[in-house]
């Protein structure tokens, strides 16, 4: 069974991010203390192939994966993919120190029904030792993760259908955390800074709050760039594909910016503020040191400044590739444009170097 952390010795893997509207693929290498982008590609998914992070049309997703493999010209076959944090139950538990991984697995399987509200035959379970327990001597703290098998298996089926081999199934929040380690190097942040990453995709906005580089909070909300596309369709009577192209390439009537685009940007700022408010009300925090915008919507012109000005918090747009070298076969301009949306794919590709 493919685990949720994919504990196995490092193997070169492609980062494959299956979101609600696109498939993103990334291949990294590492030489001389520096990462290099070897290949990358993005391909659109058929409408409703993935609904709220669940694969609904396996064949449609397989075809999109085939498309990114062909575009990227990668030769790698092994893949690291991820499931959404909302589909994973995690629990920190203490266990006796000195147990072998096999013994720990047996004990966790016997005790898992205390922590997981599904029948055990319906879930995939994995665990990772976090270190000594802060509360109890001779115990270690273990992160237990469980996800419904069907959630993992539909992704596995789509990957295998494209003739690739799924080696690692990660959790999106942990992939984001790994990619953040690259972004943090570019910012003047203290080790113990509290950073909010707001990943604004097509249909979903995910807030991850990290302290000391580790995820302490994550929350998903139904909101994304599709709302802007829908408004363009409604107002200008365009079909979906044309509205999506017009949004990216321009050519819309003069009233588009003041009456459609600006109100959408304001709605994004409100969404960011609301997401942070949920975090503050459920934790001892009442502030974050930095906001990082990720996802396709975040590269929208002027959005970074708007968030910074309205919320009064230093804000940046994520670019995990800023300090990487780039293969001559990669379109550097396209990569720079897609960079904020590539955070999860990047975090997954980094699994090659664990």
């Amino acid at each position: 069974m493919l685990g949720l952390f994919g504990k196995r010795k490092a193997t070169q893997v492609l980062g494959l991010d299956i979101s609600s509207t696109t498939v993103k693929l990334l291949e990294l290498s590492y030489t001389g203390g520096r990462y290099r982008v070897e290949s990358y590609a993005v391909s659109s998914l058929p409408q409703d192939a993935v609904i709220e992070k669940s694969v609904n049309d396996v064949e449609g997703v397989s075809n999109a994966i085939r498309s990114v493999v062909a575009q990227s010209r990668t030769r790698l076959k092994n893949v690291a993919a991820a499931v959404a944090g909302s589909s994973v139950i995690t629990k920190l538990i203490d266990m006796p120190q000195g147990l072998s991984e096999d013994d720990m697995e047996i004990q966790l399987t016997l005790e898992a029904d205390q922590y997981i509200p599904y029948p055990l035959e319906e879930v995939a379970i994995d665990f990772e030792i976090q270190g000594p327990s802060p509360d109890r001597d001779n115990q270690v703290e273990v992160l237990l993760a469980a996800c419904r098998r069907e959630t993992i298996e539909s992704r596995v089926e789509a990957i295998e259908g494209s003739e690739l081999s799924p080696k690692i199934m990660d959790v999106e929040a942990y992939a984001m955390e790994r990619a953040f380690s690259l972004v943090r190097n570019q910012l003047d942040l203290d080790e113990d800074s509290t950073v909010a990453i707001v990943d604004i995709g097509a249909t979903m906005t995910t807030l991850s709050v990290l302290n000391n580089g580790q995820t302490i909070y994550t929350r998903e909300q139904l909101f994304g760039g599709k709302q802007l596309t829908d408004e363009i369709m409604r107002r200008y009577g365009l079909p979906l594909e044309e509205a999506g192209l017009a949004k990216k390439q321009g050519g819309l009537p003069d009233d588009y910016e003041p009456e459609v685009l600006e109100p959408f940007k304001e709605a994004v700022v409100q969404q960011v503020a609301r997401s942070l408010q949920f975090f503050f009300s459920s934790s001892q925090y009442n502030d974050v040191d930095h906001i990082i915008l990720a996802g396709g919507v975040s590269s929208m012109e002027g959005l970074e400044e708007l968030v910074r000005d309205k919320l009064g918090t230093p804000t940046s747009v994520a670019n995990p590739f800023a300090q990487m070298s780039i293969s001559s076969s990669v379109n550097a301009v396209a990569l720079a444009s897609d960079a904020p949306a590539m955070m999860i794919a990047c975090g997954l590709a980094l699994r090659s170097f664990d």
Side-chain angles (χ1 to χ4, degrees):
M1 181 64 215
L2 200 63
L4 282 166
F5 300 117
K7 291 191 293 287
R8 43 182 51 79
K9 62 180 185 289
T11 178
Q12 189 76 12
V13 289
L14 294 165
L16 188 73
D17 175 18
I18 301 167
S19 72
S20 53
T21 55
T22 59
V23 169
K24 305 172 194 80
L25 176 145
L26 180 69
E27 177 189 348
L28 298 178
S29 64
Y30 186 74
T31 43
R34 197 171 180 203
Y35 292 108
R36 174 174 144 117
V37 179
E38 295 295 346
S39 62
Y40 107 101
V42 179
S43 180
S44 294
L45 282 166
Q47 201 172 350
D48 295 337
V50 175
I51 296 175
E52 288 182 30
K53 307 271 182 126
S54 291
V55 173
N56 189 41
D57 168 8
V58 169
E59 194 180 339
V61 176
S62 283
N63 290 338
I65 296 171
R66 271 197 210 94
S67 170
V68 286
V69 170
Q71 285 175 56
S72 70
R73 298 198 184 97
T74 182
R75 291 206 173 100
L76 293 186
K77 293 289 182 191
N78 293 334
V79 166
V83 292
S86 55
S87 62
V88 179
I89 296 164
T90 55
K91 191 92 184 159
L92 277 171
I93 51 180
D94 287 338
M95 297 195 74
Q97 207 168 15
L99 284 181
S100 71
E101 288 225 341
D102 288 346
D103 289 344
M104 202 171 269
E105 190 167 340
I106 291 164
Q107 193 169 326
L108 279 171
T109 307
L110 292 171
E111 296 176 10
D113 57 356
Q114 298 173 48
Y115 310 109
I116 296 156
Y118 304 122
L120 287 187
E121 62 273 12
E122 290 180 16
V123 294
I125 294 171
D126 206 349
F127 65 93
E128 201 164 69
I129 298 164
Q130 303 296 292
S133 165
D135 306 316
R136 299 163 77 181
D137 293 338
N138 302 319
Q139 301 261 312
V140 287
E141 198 172 53
V142 176
L143 177 65
L144 175 70
C147 179
R148 292 187 84 113
R149 283 181 189 274
E150 61 190 20
T151 304
I152 292 176
E153 283 165 3
S154 59
R155 276 172 158 66
V156 167
E157 202 182 328
I159 292 164
E160 289 178 341
S162 66
E163 290 160 31
L164 295 178
S165 174
K167 289 290 176 200
I168 296 169
M169 194 58 68
D170 208 327
V171 180
E172 287 180 358
Y174 301 140
M176 184 63 87
E177 191 179 290
R178 219 171 287 113
F180 167 70
S181 65
L182 301 175
V183 176
R184 180 167 67 178
N185 295 340
Q186 305 159 30
L187 302 170
D188 188 21
L189 292 173
D190 295 335
E191 277 293 303
D192 61 350
S193 294
T194 304
V195 177
I197 303 175
V198 189
D199 185 6
I200 312 158
T203 59
M204 198 82 80
T205 294
T206 306
L207 168 69
S208 303
V209 182
L210 293 89
N211 179 259
N212 258 331
Q214 294 200 308
T215 307
I216 56 169
Y217 177 88
T218 175
R219 187 174 197 273
E220 292 172 3
Q221 283 182 288
L222 275 171
F223 175 86
K226 188 173 181 297
Q227 270 153 276
L228 178 58
T229 313
D230 289 347
E231 181 59 20
I232 292 169
M233 286 165 67
R234 192 189 66 75
R235 186 175 283 249
Y236 304 113
L238 293 173
L240 177 66
E241 209 160 300
E242 282 180 37
L245 275 175
K247 182 170 84 171
K248 287 191 181 80
Q249 297 170 1
L252 286 161
D254 290 347
D255 68 350
Y256 167 65
E257 285 213 8
E259 292 191 23
V260 180
L261 185 59
E262 290 306 324
F264 175 74
K265 285 189 199 167
E266 293 286 348
V268 172
V269 176
Q270 282 174 5
Q271 198 64 35
V272 174
R274 195 176 299 139
S275 296
L276 285 169
Q277 219 43 61
F278 276 117
F279 164 62
F280 298 145
S281 64
S282 65
S283 71
Q284 78 269 33
Y285 295 85
N286 53 19
D287 199 8
V288 293
D289 298 306
H290 205 99
I291 295 169
I292 293 172
L293 301 177
V297 169
S298 65
S299 46
M300 197 173 269
E301 201 177 324
L303 187 62
E304 178 186 348
E305 293 79 7
L306 198 61
V307 172
R308 183 187 301 132
D309 295 348
K310 290 277 169 104
L311 302 187
T313 303
T315 303
S316 315
V317 175
N319 179 2
F321 310 120
Q323 293 170 341
M324 293 190 191
S325 58
I326 296 169
S327 159
S328 57
S329 61
V330 170
N331 180 335
V333 175
L335 180 68
S337 162
D338 286 327
M342 296 292 291
M343 286 284 280
I344 288 169
C346 183
L348 292 169
L350 289 171
R351 290 299 300 260
S352 296
F353 317 104
D354 281 359

